[in-house]
Amino acid sequence: MAITITPLSERFGAEISGVDISKPLDEATQQEIREAQDKWGVTVWRKTGLDDAAHVAFSRIFGEVELAPRHPGKPSRMPEPELFDASNLDIEGNITDNASIRLGAAGNRLWHSDSSFMDIRAAQALLLCHEAPPHGGPTWFADTRSAYDDLPQEMKDKLEGLEATHSYFWSRRRAGYPYTEEEVDAKPHATHPVVHTHASGRKAIFVGAHTRDIVGMDREEGRKLIDDLIAWCTQDKYTLAVHYKPGDMTIWDNLCTLHRGGEYDDTEYRRDMRRTTVRAAGQQEVARDHYTTMFSAAGDTPFSPSEETRKRVLETL
Ligand code: OGA
Ligand code: MN
């Protein structure tokens, strides 16, 4: 079955139609979808008709679907262990008033690449809308391949061979969560190249809100470079927004895009978004449940804060 690809801009983003992804797909169609994804970086799917199980099943065409982390004291709303909850809802389905979770979620409104804080990175993320605020509660995306292409040669030379550290807890601090620099020091980090070659053969910049320091560079200088690169990648000419109605889904390639959740009043409007995450190829040997392992090694997290951190969260708000 040939799919229909409608580009959203010249080099980045496409809406896909003409295929029912709630049903099993033949190999040729799966291949067409993977190729469109590699080429366009972000694909948008309207009125998918996917339920939770079909969302997970469709995600498998891209590779190994990750297990979402399980947090002590925070059971998931959904029975499927592969679904990450990107909503503002609690286990009963009501708008959450949990201050730690709300402040933690503010980190998703900074430009980031999912899971860059893990040794094993995420290749694709599939975010399905179940309920949206009236204005569509968008996600914003940035094209880090075109941003790399357009860098001055001098900057490309400077970035060659550089590596950076990434931590989930750093991006929470950036968004106002009350961790100290020393607390973030003691929590897990991953290290990745600042520029890498994407499956498409094009190079991409790989820094975002989780990126903390440039390895071997003075901290101030490294952080300035990280901020400059994020600002470069997120210029208007590299970005687009996707607005949702229930049933709509976006798939983004985490290795060649940045994204951020758009602003909305999370105390007023329900926004039920559920995500699957596909592990980068060739790394299947690592522990299947590595997200849970990472968060449990971190101890005090926004999902299970210590009593002391919980007090600081309340003082912060
Ligand atoms: C995510 C995320 C943004 C959004 O699920 O990884 O960043 O718009 N979501 O919900
Ligand atoms: Mn994200």
Side-chain angles (χ1 to χ4, degrees):
M1 185 197 285
I3 62 175
T4 303
I5 301 175
T6 310
L8 298 172
S9 75
E10 207 175 302
R11 295 184 280 187
F12 179 55
E15 200 161 305
I16 313 278
S17 55
V19 55
D20 179 358
I21 57 173
S22 69
K23 306 260 155 54
L25 299 169
D26 60 49
E27 184 49 45
T29 308
Q30 293 183 24
Q31 189 55 25
E32 269 186 82
I33 294 172
R34 285 189 291 262
E35 282 168 15
Q37 188 62 29
D38 273 353
K39 173 163 183 188
W40 294 100
V42 171
T43 58
V44 181
W45 305 71
R46 301 292 180 192
K47 298 185 182 157
T48 59
L50 293 173
D51 60 15
D52 286 337
H55 179 186
V56 174
F58 172 70
S59 304
R60 297 200 197 288
I61 77 165
F62 293 102
E64 177 168 342
V65 177
E66 297 280 15
L67 296 179
R70 283 168 285 110
H71 302 285
K74 187 185 176 288
S76 174
R77 280 188 306 130
M78 290 87 69
E80 282 74 14
E82 295 88 355
L83 289 174
F84 290 64
D85 192 351
S87 78
N88 61 335
L89 306 177
D90 65 18
I91 179 100
E92 268 96 41
N94 300 315
I95 292 179
T96 186
D97 59 1
N98 182 312
S100 183
I101 289 178
R102 283 190 57 226
L103 191 55
N108 278 350
R109 297 199 278 276
L110 303 177
W111 288 104
H112 66 280
S113 163
D114 291 339
S115 302
S116 74
F117 49 81
M118 301 295 285
D119 293 334
I120 304 309
R121 293 181 301 176
Q124 309 292 340
L126 299 87
L127 184 68
L128 177 64
C129 175
H130 289 250
E131 258 184 289
H135 71 301
T139 314
W140 284 86
F141 296 97
D143 175 6
T144 62
R145 289 181 293 189
S146 299
Y148 177 82
D149 291 344
D150 297 350
L151 281 174
Q153 187 58 44
E154 200 189 355
M155 184 55 107
K156 289 183 178 170
D157 294 342
K158 176 175 172 172
L159 299 182
E160 200 58 45
L162 288 185
E163 291 187 320
T165 59
H166 300 244
S167 172
Y168 174 84
F169 305 93
W170 171 244
S171 60
R172 303 305 106 166
R173 178 171 153 83
R174 263 180 178 264
Y177 198 88
Y179 290 130
T180 63
E181 195 84 59
E182 292 70 32
E183 283 170 321
V184 179
D185 281 342
K187 291 182 182 292
H189 288 69
T191 303
H192 299 294
V194 169
V195 170
H196 67 144
T197 303
H198 178 258
S200 57
R202 295 175 66 191
K203 285 190 173 179
I205 296 170
F206 193 73
V207 296
H210 305 307
T211 317
R212 191 173 183 210
D213 293 303
I214 305 284
V215 176
M217 198 178 277
D218 168 76
R219 191 160 243 188
E220 293 287 300
E221 192 191 341
R223 290 189 178 168
K224 170 142 188 358
L225 178 58
I226 291 163
D227 286 344
D228 287 349
L229 287 172
I230 296 171
W232 176 266
C233 290
T234 58
Q235 295 173 79
D236 288 353
K237 61 184 168 183
Y238 304 127
T239 64
L240 56 86
V242 178
H243 293 259
Y244 302 96
K245 288 197 168 62
D248 294 347
M249 179 171 73
T250 46
I251 310 178
W252 63 86
D253 185 320
N254 268 295
L255 300 176
C256 66
T257 65
L258 288 172
H259 66 279
R260 67 180 200 88
E263 305 301 327
Y264 76 106
D265 184 345
D266 66 343
T267 62
E268 180 76 19
Y269 298 115
R270 301 167 60 80
R271 186 171 185 269
D272 186 351
M273 308 294 288
R274 306 180 191 182
R275 198 189 86 208
T276 56
T277 305
V278 176
R279 185 177 282 201
Q283 299 171 320
Q284 267 58 349
E285 71 285 1
V286 169
R288 175 112 172 86
D289 211 2
H290 62 145
Y291 286 93
T292 299
T293 309
M294 191 284 284
F295 280 103
S296 87
D300 179 356
T301 75
F303 307 100
S304 318
S306 68
E307 194 50 33
E308 209 274 307
T309 308
R310 206 181 58 79
K311 282 201 197 110
R312 273 192 276 156
V313 165
L314 293 174
E315 282 160 18
T316 305
L317 283 176

